[in-house]
Protein backbone atom coordinates (compact mmCIF):
# COMPACT_ATOMS: atom_id res chain seq x y z
CA UNK A 1 0.00 0.00 0.00
CA UNK A 2 1.25 3.48 -0.74
CA UNK A 3 0.82 6.32 1.79
CA UNK A 4 -2.48 7.31 0.20
CA UNK A 5 -3.77 3.86 1.09
CA UNK A 6 -4.12 2.67 -2.50
CA UNK A 7 -2.46 -0.49 -3.63
CA UNK A 8 0.88 0.45 -5.17
CA UNK A 9 3.50 -1.23 -7.29
CA UNK A 10 5.68 -1.82 -4.27
CA UNK A 11 4.91 -5.53 -4.37
CA UNK A 12 6.91 -7.47 -1.83
CA UNK A 13 9.25 -4.59 -0.97
CA UNK A 14 9.18 -3.52 2.66
CA UNK A 15 8.16 0.12 3.17
CA UNK A 16 10.77 2.26 4.91
CA UNK A 17 8.52 2.99 7.88
CA UNK A 18 7.87 -0.71 8.46
CA UNK A 19 11.60 -1.46 8.47
CA UNK A 20 12.22 1.45 10.81
CA UNK A 21 9.46 0.34 13.18
CA UNK A 22 10.96 -3.17 13.32
CA UNK A 23 14.45 -1.87 13.94
CA UNK A 24 13.22 0.39 16.71
CA UNK A 25 11.40 -2.54 18.30
CA UNK A 26 14.65 -4.52 18.27
CA UNK A 27 16.48 -1.56 19.74
CA UNK A 28 13.96 -1.29 22.55
CA UNK A 29 14.41 -4.97 23.29
CA UNK A 30 18.14 -4.40 23.85
CA UNK A 31 18.51 -1.10 25.69
CA UNK A 32 21.92 0.04 26.92
CA UNK A 33 21.36 0.25 30.67
CA UNK A 34 24.79 1.12 32.02
CA UNK A 35 25.37 4.75 32.83
CA UNK A 36 28.24 6.95 33.84
CA UNK A 37 28.57 10.34 35.50
CA UNK A 38 30.50 12.83 33.44
CA UNK A 39 31.58 16.42 33.98
CA UNK A 40 29.20 18.74 32.17
CA UNK A 41 31.83 19.76 29.63
CA UNK A 42 32.15 16.14 28.45
CA UNK A 43 28.54 15.20 27.80
CA UNK A 44 28.27 16.60 24.28
CA UNK A 45 26.63 14.06 21.94
CA UNK A 46 25.67 11.76 24.81
CA UNK A 47 22.22 10.76 26.06
CA UNK A 48 20.86 11.81 29.44
CA UNK A 49 20.27 8.74 31.63
CA UNK A 50 17.94 10.25 34.22
CA UNK A 51 15.44 13.08 34.34
CA UNK A 52 16.95 16.44 35.17
CA UNK A 53 14.76 18.02 37.82
CA UNK A 54 15.34 21.62 38.79
CA UNK A 55 16.60 22.18 42.32
CA UNK A 56 16.19 25.93 42.00
CA UNK A 57 13.92 28.63 40.77
CA UNK A 58 15.36 30.28 37.71
CA UNK A 59 15.86 33.14 38.05
CA UNK A 60 16.19 32.68 41.82
CA UNK A 61 14.81 36.17 42.47
CA UNK A 62 13.03 38.83 40.41
CA UNK A 63 15.58 40.77 38.43
CA UNK A 64 15.73 43.69 36.12
CA UNK A 65 15.53 43.21 32.35
CA UNK A 66 16.83 46.73 31.74
CA UNK A 67 19.26 49.37 32.87
CA UNK A 68 17.01 51.93 34.59
CA UNK A 69 15.17 52.61 37.82
CA UNK A 70 13.15 50.39 40.13
CA UNK A 71 10.19 51.95 41.90
CA UNK A 72 6.85 51.25 43.51
CA UNK A 73 4.22 52.53 41.09
CA UNK A 74 2.01 53.75 43.94
CA UNK A 75 4.84 56.10 44.97
CA UNK A 76 4.85 57.83 41.63
CA UNK A 77 2.61 60.89 41.47
CA UNK A 78 4.33 62.73 38.63
CA UNK A 79 6.93 64.32 40.89
CA UNK A 80 10.62 63.32 40.49
CA UNK A 81 11.86 60.63 42.92
CA UNK A 82 15.05 60.55 44.96
CA UNK A 83 17.49 57.71 44.15
CA UNK A 84 18.00 55.85 47.43
CA UNK A 85 20.36 53.05 46.27
CA UNK A 86 22.30 51.72 43.29
CA UNK A 87 22.03 48.00 42.50
CA UNK A 88 24.42 46.21 40.13
CA UNK A 89 24.12 42.58 38.97
CA UNK A 90 25.63 40.37 41.66
CA UNK A 91 24.58 42.60 44.56
CA UNK A 92 21.97 42.00 47.22
CA UNK A 93 19.74 45.09 47.49
CA UNK A 94 18.13 46.71 50.53
CA UNK A 95 14.33 46.91 50.55
CA UNK A 96 13.23 49.99 48.63
CA UNK A 97 12.73 53.02 50.85
CA UNK A 98 9.13 54.22 50.42
CA UNK A 99 8.81 57.23 48.17
CA UNK A 100 12.16 56.70 46.44
CA UNK A 101 13.50 54.82 43.44
CA UNK A 102 16.63 52.66 43.00
CA UNK A 103 19.14 52.90 40.19
CA UNK A 104 19.27 49.35 38.80
CA UNK A 105 21.14 47.50 36.07
CA UNK A 106 20.27 44.48 33.91
CA UNK A 107 20.31 41.22 35.87
CA UNK A 108 20.38 42.92 39.27
CA UNK A 109 17.83 41.75 41.88
CA UNK A 110 14.78 43.98 42.10
CA UNK A 111 14.56 45.31 45.68
CA UNK A 112 11.65 44.24 47.86
CA UNK A 113 8.92 46.83 47.65
CA UNK A 114 9.53 47.75 44.01
CA UNK A 115 7.01 46.57 41.45
CA UNK A 116 8.27 48.13 38.26
CA UNK A 117 11.47 49.00 36.41
CA UNK A 118 11.55 51.93 34.03
CA UNK A 119 14.29 51.98 31.43
CA UNK A 120 16.76 54.79 31.67
CA UNK A 121 15.78 56.15 28.24
CA UNK A 122 12.39 57.14 29.76
CA UNK A 123 13.90 58.81 32.81
CA UNK A 124 15.34 62.32 33.18
CA UNK A 125 17.83 63.05 35.92
CA UNK A 126 17.06 66.51 37.31
CA UNK A 127 19.60 69.10 38.44
CA UNK A 128 18.97 67.98 42.03
CA UNK A 129 19.62 64.34 40.96
CA UNK A 130 16.04 63.31 41.47
CA UNK A 131 14.57 61.31 38.58
CA UNK A 132 11.55 62.27 36.52
CA UNK A 133 9.73 59.54 34.61
CA UNK A 134 8.39 60.68 31.26
CA UNK A 135 6.21 57.76 30.13
CA UNK A 136 3.25 55.82 31.48
CA UNK A 137 4.41 52.76 33.49
CA UNK A 138 2.68 49.47 34.24
CA UNK A 139 3.09 47.10 37.21
CA UNK A 140 5.71 44.39 36.62
CA UNK A 141 7.23 46.00 33.56
CA UNK A 142 10.85 45.11 32.83
CA UNK A 143 10.95 42.69 35.76
CA UNK A 144 11.88 39.08 35.08
CA UNK A 145 9.87 37.27 37.75
CA UNK A 146 11.38 34.64 40.04
CA UNK A 147 11.00 31.19 38.48
CA UNK A 148 9.97 32.50 35.07
CA UNK A 149 12.18 29.89 33.36
CA UNK A 150 11.82 27.05 35.80
CA UNK A 151 10.76 26.35 39.36
CA UNK A 152 12.02 23.90 41.99
CA UNK A 153 10.88 20.36 41.20
CA UNK A 154 10.11 20.99 37.56
CA UNK A 155 11.21 18.48 34.90
CA UNK A 156 13.68 20.37 32.74
CA UNK A 157 15.19 17.62 30.54
CA UNK A 158 13.86 14.07 30.36
CA UNK A 159 15.96 10.94 30.36
CA UNK A 160 16.68 10.08 26.75
CA UNK A 161 17.47 13.64 25.72
CA UNK A 162 20.51 14.01 23.48
CA UNK A 163 22.90 16.49 24.97
CA UNK A 164 24.43 19.32 23.01
CA UNK A 165 25.58 22.86 23.70
CA UNK A 166 22.09 24.11 24.53
CA UNK A 167 21.30 21.34 27.02
CA UNK A 168 24.74 21.78 28.55
CA UNK A 169 24.08 25.49 28.97
CA UNK A 170 20.69 24.78 30.52
CA UNK A 171 22.12 22.24 32.96
CA UNK A 172 24.82 24.74 33.90
CA UNK A 173 22.18 27.39 34.59
CA UNK A 174 20.69 24.97 37.13
CA UNK A 175 24.06 24.46 38.78
CA UNK A 176 24.76 20.90 37.54
CA UNK A 177 28.47 20.17 37.47
CA UNK A 178 27.97 16.67 36.11
CA UNK A 179 25.28 14.60 34.46
CA UNK A 180 24.38 10.92 34.35
CA UNK A 181 24.62 9.71 30.76
CA UNK A 182 24.06 6.38 29.05
CA UNK A 183 27.33 4.65 28.32
CA UNK A 184 28.48 4.85 24.73
CA UNK A 185 27.12 2.28 22.30
CA UNK A 186 29.95 0.09 21.07
CA UNK A 187 29.72 -0.35 17.35
CA UNK A 188 32.06 -2.49 15.27
CA UNK A 189 32.37 -1.36 11.66
CA UNK A 190 33.14 -3.98 9.01
CA UNK A 191 33.62 -3.32 5.32
CA UNK A 192 33.11 -6.41 3.20
CA UNK A 193 34.42 -6.93 -0.28
CA UNK A 194 37.39 -8.54 -2.03
CA UNK A 195 37.71 -5.43 -4.17
CA UNK A 196 38.39 -3.07 -1.26
CA UNK A 197 41.74 -1.61 -0.28
CA UNK A 198 42.54 1.26 2.01
CA UNK A 199 43.52 4.75 0.84
CA UNK A 200 47.29 5.15 0.78
CA UNK A 201 47.84 1.87 -1.03
CA UNK A 202 48.31 1.61 -4.80
CA UNK A 203 45.17 0.57 -6.63
CA UNK A 204 45.44 -2.82 -8.35
CA UNK A 205 43.25 -4.20 -11.12
CA UNK A 206 39.64 -4.50 -10.08
CA UNK A 207 40.20 -2.74 -6.78
CA UNK A 208 38.50 0.29 -5.30
CA UNK A 209 39.24 2.32 -2.22
CA UNK A 210 37.20 1.66 0.87
CA UNK A 211 35.10 4.76 1.39
CA UNK A 212 32.44 3.36 3.71
CA UNK A 213 34.81 2.55 6.54
CA UNK A 214 35.90 6.10 7.28
CA UNK A 215 32.48 7.48 6.42
CA UNK A 216 30.77 5.29 9.01
CA UNK A 217 33.53 5.45 11.64
CA UNK A 218 33.59 9.21 11.72
CA UNK A 219 29.81 9.48 11.52
CA UNK A 220 29.43 7.09 14.47
CA UNK A 221 31.89 9.17 16.46
CA UNK A 222 29.77 12.23 15.82
CA UNK A 223 26.80 10.28 17.14
CA UNK A 224 28.61 9.65 20.40
CA UNK A 225 29.35 5.95 19.76
CA UNK A 226 32.46 4.04 20.69
CA UNK A 227 33.78 2.81 17.37
CA UNK A 228 35.59 -0.48 16.93
CA UNK A 229 37.11 -0.34 13.48
CA UNK A 230 37.06 -3.98 12.37
CA UNK A 231 38.61 -3.27 8.98
CA UNK A 232 38.00 -4.97 5.68
CA UNK A 233 36.48 -8.42 5.50
CA UNK A 234 37.23 -10.49 2.41
CA UNK A 235 34.39 -12.38 0.78
CA UNK A 236 34.97 -15.72 2.45
CA UNK A 237 32.75 -17.65 4.81
CA UNK A 238 35.43 -18.94 7.19
CA UNK A 239 37.01 -15.50 7.52
CA UNK A 240 33.60 -13.91 8.03
CA UNK A 241 32.70 -16.40 10.74
CA UNK A 242 36.03 -15.92 12.50
CA UNK A 243 35.90 -12.12 12.36
CA UNK A 244 32.34 -11.97 13.64
CA UNK A 245 33.39 -14.27 16.45
CA UNK A 246 35.98 -11.71 17.58
CA UNK A 247 33.31 -9.06 17.99
CA UNK A 248 31.21 -10.53 20.76
CA UNK A 249 31.86 -7.63 23.16
CA UNK A 250 30.13 -5.00 21.04
CA UNK A 251 26.53 -3.73 21.06
CA UNK A 252 26.23 -3.76 17.28
CA UNK A 253 28.14 -5.04 14.30
CA UNK A 254 27.59 -2.68 11.40
CA UNK A 255 28.75 -3.99 8.09
CA UNK A 256 28.54 -2.74 4.54
CA UNK A 257 28.42 -4.66 1.29
CA UNK A 258 27.84 -8.28 0.55
CA UNK A 259 24.10 -8.13 1.05
CA UNK A 260 22.92 -7.73 -2.51
CA UNK A 261 23.65 -11.11 -4.12
CA UNK A 262 23.15 -14.39 -2.38
CA UNK A 263 26.37 -15.89 -3.67
CA UNK A 264 28.76 -13.46 -2.00
CA UNK A 265 26.51 -12.97 1.00
CA UNK A 266 28.79 -14.59 3.54
CA UNK A 267 27.52 -12.37 6.30
CA UNK A 268 24.04 -13.72 5.71
CA UNK A 269 25.25 -17.31 5.72
CA UNK A 270 27.21 -16.83 8.94
CA UNK A 271 24.20 -15.26 10.65
CA UNK A 272 21.94 -18.03 9.51
CA UNK A 273 24.37 -20.61 10.87
CA UNK A 274 25.10 -19.05 14.24
CA UNK A 275 22.24 -16.75 14.99
CA UNK A 276 19.34 -15.49 12.99
CA UNK A 277 18.89 -13.45 9.91
CA UNK A 278 16.25 -11.24 8.39
CA UNK A 279 16.97 -10.13 4.85
CA UNK A 280 14.81 -7.23 3.89
CA UNK A 281 14.19 -5.87 0.45
CA UNK A 282 13.32 -2.30 1.19
CA UNK A 283 11.27 0.10 -0.86
CA UNK A 284 14.09 2.60 -0.69
CA UNK A 285 16.44 4.02 -3.30
CA UNK A 286 19.35 4.16 -3.03
CA UNK A 287 19.39 1.11 -0.80
CA UNK A 288 17.07 -1.88 -1.05
CA UNK A 289 18.89 -4.84 0.50
CA UNK A 290 19.32 -4.62 4.25
CA UNK A 291 20.30 -7.35 6.67
CA UNK A 292 19.28 -7.47 10.28
CA UNK A 293 20.20 -10.35 12.49
CA UNK A 294 22.23 -11.66 15.38
CA UNK A 295 25.53 -13.46 15.51
CA UNK A 296 25.94 -15.35 18.78
CA UNK A 297 23.53 -12.88 20.32
CA UNK A 298 25.20 -9.73 19.00
CA UNK A 299 22.92 -7.59 16.82
CA UNK A 300 24.15 -7.12 13.26
CA UNK A 301 23.00 -4.59 10.69
CA UNK A 302 24.26 -5.12 7.17
CA UNK A 303 23.95 -2.05 4.98
CA UNK A 304 24.23 -2.10 1.20
CA UNK A 305 27.76 -1.39 -0.04
CA UNK A 306 27.30 1.37 -2.56
CA UNK A 307 28.39 4.47 -0.71
CA UNK A 308 25.27 6.56 -1.37
CA UNK A 309 23.14 3.56 -0.31
CA UNK A 310 25.24 3.16 2.82
CA UNK A 311 24.72 6.82 3.60
CA UNK A 312 20.96 6.83 3.10
CA UNK A 313 20.26 3.58 4.94
CA UNK A 314 22.54 4.55 7.79
CA UNK A 315 20.88 7.97 8.08
CA UNK A 316 17.31 6.70 7.97
CA UNK A 317 17.54 3.29 9.62
CA UNK A 318 20.76 2.53 11.49
CA UNK A 319 21.07 5.96 13.12
CA UNK A 320 17.57 5.86 14.64
CA UNK A 321 18.26 2.29 15.81
CA UNK A 322 21.47 3.35 17.56
CA UNK A 323 19.82 6.32 19.21
CA UNK A 324 16.90 4.22 20.42
CA UNK A 325 19.31 1.69 21.95
CA UNK A 326 20.37 4.60 24.16
CA UNK A 327 16.79 5.47 25.05
CA UNK A 328 16.33 8.43 22.71
CA UNK A 329 12.69 8.93 21.82
CA UNK A 330 13.02 11.45 19.02
CA UNK A 331 15.08 9.50 16.54
CA UNK A 332 13.64 10.58 13.23
CA UNK A 333 15.12 13.56 11.47
CA UNK A 334 13.14 16.70 10.88
CA UNK A 335 11.78 16.97 7.36
CA UNK A 336 9.87 19.79 5.79
CA UNK A 337 8.06 20.33 2.51
CA UNK A 338 9.62 22.38 -0.27
CA UNK A 339 8.50 22.86 -3.86
CA UNK A 340 10.40 20.69 -6.31
CA UNK A 341 12.67 22.52 -8.73
CA UNK A 342 12.82 19.47 -10.95
CA UNK A 343 10.45 17.12 -12.75
CA UNK A 344 10.00 13.47 -11.93
CA UNK A 345 8.16 11.97 -14.86
CA UNK A 346 8.47 8.29 -14.03
CA UNK A 347 6.97 6.91 -10.81
CA UNK A 348 9.15 4.38 -9.00
CA UNK A 349 8.20 1.51 -6.74
CA UNK A 350 10.77 2.55 -4.15
CA UNK A 351 10.89 5.71 -2.05
CA UNK A 352 13.73 7.81 -3.40
CA UNK A 353 16.10 9.88 -1.35
CA UNK A 354 17.71 12.15 -3.88
CA UNK A 355 20.74 14.10 -2.91
CA UNK A 356 19.67 17.70 -3.27
CA UNK A 357 19.88 21.31 -2.27
CA UNK A 358 17.50 24.17 -1.81
CA UNK A 359 18.10 26.85 -4.40
CA UNK A 360 15.83 29.92 -4.55
CA UNK A 361 13.34 28.13 -2.30
CA UNK A 362 13.10 25.01 -4.49
CA UNK A 363 14.63 21.57 -4.14
CA UNK A 364 17.17 20.82 -6.83
CA UNK A 365 18.93 17.50 -7.26
CA UNK A 366 22.42 16.40 -8.22
CA UNK A 367 22.70 15.43 -11.86
CA UNK A 368 23.87 11.88 -11.15
CA UNK A 369 21.83 10.00 -8.56
CA UNK A 370 23.61 6.67 -8.97
CA UNK A 371 23.97 4.83 -5.69
CA UNK A 372 27.71 4.56 -6.27
CA UNK A 373 28.19 8.31 -6.49
CA UNK A 374 29.08 9.71 -3.10
CA UNK A 375 29.91 13.02 -4.68
CA UNK A 376 26.18 13.62 -4.99
CA UNK A 377 25.98 13.73 -1.19
CA UNK A 378 29.03 15.94 -0.83
CA UNK A 379 27.34 18.42 -3.15
CA UNK A 380 24.00 18.09 -1.38
CA UNK A 381 22.60 19.84 1.66
CA UNK A 382 19.90 17.28 2.20
CA UNK A 383 17.84 14.33 1.06
CA UNK A 384 14.86 15.02 -1.16
CA UNK A 385 12.17 12.45 -0.49
CA UNK A 386 10.07 11.32 -3.43
CA UNK A 387 7.40 8.84 -2.36
CA UNK A 388 6.64 5.55 -4.07
CA UNK A 389 4.32 5.67 -7.06
CA UNK A 390 4.77 9.42 -7.43
CA UNK A 391 5.45 11.63 -10.39
CA UNK A 392 6.26 15.30 -9.95
CA UNK A 393 5.99 18.46 -11.93
CA UNK A 394 7.97 21.53 -10.87
CA UNK A 395 6.42 23.31 -7.92
CA UNK A 396 4.83 20.21 -6.37
CA UNK A 397 5.95 19.60 -2.83
CA UNK A 398 8.58 17.11 -1.74
CA UNK A 399 10.02 16.55 1.70
CA UNK A 400 13.53 17.78 2.42
CA UNK A 401 15.68 16.28 5.17
CA UNK A 402 18.73 18.45 5.88
CA UNK A 403 21.89 16.37 6.10
CA UNK A 404 22.78 18.35 9.21
CA UNK A 405 19.76 16.66 10.85
CA UNK A 406 21.25 13.21 10.47
CA UNK A 407 24.97 13.79 10.63
CA UNK A 408 25.06 14.56 14.34
P1 LIG B 1 27.97 -5.34 -2.53
O1 LIG B 1 26.78 -5.02 -1.69
O2 LIG B 1 29.08 -5.98 -1.79
O3 LIG B 1 27.60 -6.09 -3.75
O4 LIG B 1 28.53 -3.93 -3.02
C1 LIG B 1 27.77 -3.08 -3.85
C2 LIG B 1 28.68 -2.06 -4.51
O5 LIG B 1 29.24 -1.22 -3.50
C3 LIG B 1 29.85 -2.63 -5.24
O6 LIG B 1 30.07 -1.86 -6.40
C4 LIG B 1 30.98 -2.51 -4.27
O7 LIG B 1 32.23 -2.45 -4.90
C5 LIG B 1 30.66 -1.22 -3.58
N1 LIG B 1 31.21 -1.21 -2.24
C6 LIG B 1 31.01 -2.13 -1.29
N2 LIG B 1 31.64 -1.81 -0.16
C7 LIG B 1 32.26 -0.64 -0.39
C8 LIG B 1 33.09 0.20 0.40
N3 LIG B 1 33.38 -0.13 1.66
N4 LIG B 1 33.57 1.32 -0.15
C9 LIG B 1 33.25 1.63 -1.43
N5 LIG B 1 32.46 0.90 -2.21
C10 LIG B 1 31.97 -0.25 -1.72
MG1 LIG C 1 30.69 -6.99 -2.00
Amino acid sequence: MNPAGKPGKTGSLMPVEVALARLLEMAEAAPIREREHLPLAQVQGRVLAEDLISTLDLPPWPNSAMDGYALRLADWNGEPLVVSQKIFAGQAPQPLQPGTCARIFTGAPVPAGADCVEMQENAEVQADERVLFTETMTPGQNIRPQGQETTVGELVLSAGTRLGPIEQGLAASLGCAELAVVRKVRVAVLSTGDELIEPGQALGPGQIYNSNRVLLCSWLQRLGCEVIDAGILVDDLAVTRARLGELTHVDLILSTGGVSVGEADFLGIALREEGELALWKLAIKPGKPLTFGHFRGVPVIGLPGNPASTLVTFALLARPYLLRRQGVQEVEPLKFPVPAGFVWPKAGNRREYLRGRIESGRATIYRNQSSGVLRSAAWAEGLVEVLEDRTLIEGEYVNFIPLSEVLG
Side-chain angles (χ1 to χ4, degrees):
M1 300 280 259
N2 64 18
K6 297 187 210 109
K9 290 178 283 177
T10 314
S12 60
L13 298 179
M14 184 188 283
V16 180
E17 57 272 15
V18 173
L20 179 62
R22 290 207 188 162
L23 282 172
L24 294 181
E25 241 170 63
M26 317 266 200
E28 276 161 25
I32 310 286
R33 294 195 195 278
E34 300 97 307
R35 55 181 62 184
E36 55 186 324
H37 289 265
L38 287 184
L40 192 55
Q42 290 171 25
V43 301
Q44 150 104 292
R46 303 294 293 274
V47 175
L48 191 63
E50 50 194 44
D51 289 347
L52 180 62
I53 308 284
S54 182
T55 54
L56 5 124
D57 286 350
L58 211 61
W61 16 257
N63 70 97
S64 177
M66 291 280 179
D67 291 340
Y69 297 87
L71 65 149
R72 189 200 320 261
L73 265 185
D75 290 348
W76 167 245
N77 58 11
E79 286 297 308
L81 295 179
V82 167
V83 177
S84 54
Q85 62 177 318
K86 213 180 222 185
I87 316 160
F88 293 98
Q91 293 183 338
Q94 300 297 316
L96 187 69
Q97 278 178 35
T100 72
C101 65
R103 183 77 170 112
I104 194 164
F105 298 93
T106 306
V110 173
D115 59 7
C116 150
V117 168
E118 180 58 304
M119 59 175 159
Q120 60 196 21
E121 290 80 354
N122 296 339
E124 282 169 12
V125 181
Q126 310 293 292
D128 62 2
E129 299 200 334
R130 289 188 306 158
V131 180
L132 177 72
F133 299 104
T134 57
E135 302 293 323
T136 316
M137 296 176 282
T138 50
Q141 74 174 32
N142 299 322
I143 294 178
R144 303 191 279 220
Q146 176 174 346
Q148 93 166 349
E149 180 164 359
T150 182
T151 52
V152 173
E154 217 181 305
L155 174 66
V156 179
L157 294 172
S158 352
T161 301
R162 293 192 72 207
L163 300 168
I166 295 171
E167 291 73 21
Q168 287 171 288
L170 187 56
S173 73
L174 295 170
C176 300
E178 57 174 41
L179 289 177
V181 298
V182 179
R183 82 141 161 80
K184 287 187 174 188
V185 191
R186 298 188 194 109
V187 185
V189 175
L190 267 180
S191 319
T192 75
D194 282 343
E195 73 278 31
L196 302 177
I197 60 163
E198 289 304 329
Q201 294 174 264
L203 210 54
Q207 294 184 318
I208 59 167
Y209 289 117
N210 182 0
S211 42
N212 291 339
R213 178 188 194 176
V214 70
L215 181 143
L216 287 179
C217 288
S218 77
W219 198 343
L220 287 162
Q221 266 153 11
R222 286 176 70 131
L223 291 178
C225 300
E226 183 183 328
V227 182
I228 294 92
D229 180 355
I232 293 172
L233 186 60
V234 293
D235 292 320
D236 176 271
L237 182 58
V239 175
T240 302
R241 224 188 262 130
R243 186 73 63 83
L244 291 177
E246 290 161 10
L247 299 172
T248 47
H249 58 292
V250 302
D251 301 307
L252 176 72
I253 298 170
L254 185 64
S255 82
T256 62
V259 288
S260 44
V261 261
E263 255 171 70
D265 182 8
F266 298 107
L267 183 77
I269 299 171
L271 296 190
R272 221 175 262 127
E273 281 179 1
E274 296 198 51
E276 80 255 20
L277 167 75
L279 240 184
W280 297 337
K281 280 199 171 58
L282 304 181
I284 190 172
K285 191 176 175 187
K288 192 163 165 185
L290 191 116
T291 296
F292 184 85
H294 289 90
F295 185 83
R296 298 186 197 157
V298 180
V300 180
I301 294 180
L303 303 177
N306 273 309
S309 308
T310 303
L311 180 146
V312 166
T313 50
F314 182 84
L316 300 178
L317 296 163
R319 177 184 179 275
Y321 169 88
L322 284 166
L323 294 177
R324 186 59 62 84
R325 291 277 307 264
Q326 299 169 76
V328 179
Q329 285 311 301
E330 283 176 31
V331 294
E332 287 189 66
L334 168 92
K335 51 179 144 179
F336 54 85
V338 282
F342 60 95
V343 293
W344 196 253
K346 199 166 163 281
N349 65 349
R350 293 189 274 160
R351 190 171 299 181
E352 304 238 5
Y353 290 94
L354 306 164
R355 277 72 70 212
R357 279 187 187 178
I358 297 179
E359 279 167 1
S360 309
R362 297 195 153 203
T364 57
I365 53 173
Y366 192 70
R367 59 188 158 75
N368 185 337
Q369 293 288 335
S370 159
S371 58
V373 177
L374 191 55
R375 217 175 143 186
S376 60
W379 176 88
E381 295 163 340
L383 299 173
V384 178
E385 184 182 59
V386 180
L387 298 181
E388 299 89 322
D389 307 321
R390 259 311 293 264
T391 55
L392 290 172
I393 54 168
E394 275 199 45
E396 284 190 293
Y397 278 80
V398 285
N399 278 327
F400 190 84
I401 304 170
L403 281 174
S404 55
E405 271 289 302
V406 289
L407 281 173

